[in-house]
Amino acid sequence: MKSATIPSIRVEPAFREQAESVLRNDETLSSFVETAMSEAIDRRRMQSEFIARGIASRDEAARTGVYHAAADVHKEIAERLARSRKAKGK
């Protein structure tokens, strides 16, 4: 498969300098931009999936009439987190 290019963008020199100042050893500005784009794509996919699950949950609650209080959900999440941290020895 042939590779493709991402359109170049014009930025202020100070912005480019900021980006270059955080590059790691043997990292190029191009690889940094590629990594940033990949992470942004992953984050947007996760956000879309999260929203889809939320909408499905809302619809299921409306269909069944079964709702859960936010305080109960927060308590359960806190308990799961505490168990997980304990199991990892933190």
Side-chain angles (χ1 to χ4, degrees), residues 43-57:
R43 187 171 45 257
R44 288 189 182 193
R45 283 187 180 141
M46 285 187 285
Q47 288 172 339
S48 294
E49 292 167 3
F50 176 80
I51 290 169
R53 286 192 310 271
I55 290 170
S57 179

Side-chain angles (χ1 to χ4, degrees), residues 65-80:
V66 176
Y67 293 85
H68 302 278
D72 294 340
V73 174
H74 292 168
K75 181 180 175 189
E76 181 179 336
I77 291 170
E79 290 169 353
R80 285 184 186 182

Side-chain angles (χ1 to χ4, degrees), residues 12-31:
E12 293 294 321
F15 184 69
R16 182 184 172 117
E17 288 173 15
Q18 287 178 330
E20 289 173 336
S21 75
V22 298
L23 294 177
R24 296 187 176 124
N25 291 340
D26 298 326
E27 184 178 39
T28 65
L29 190 54
S30 293
S31 66

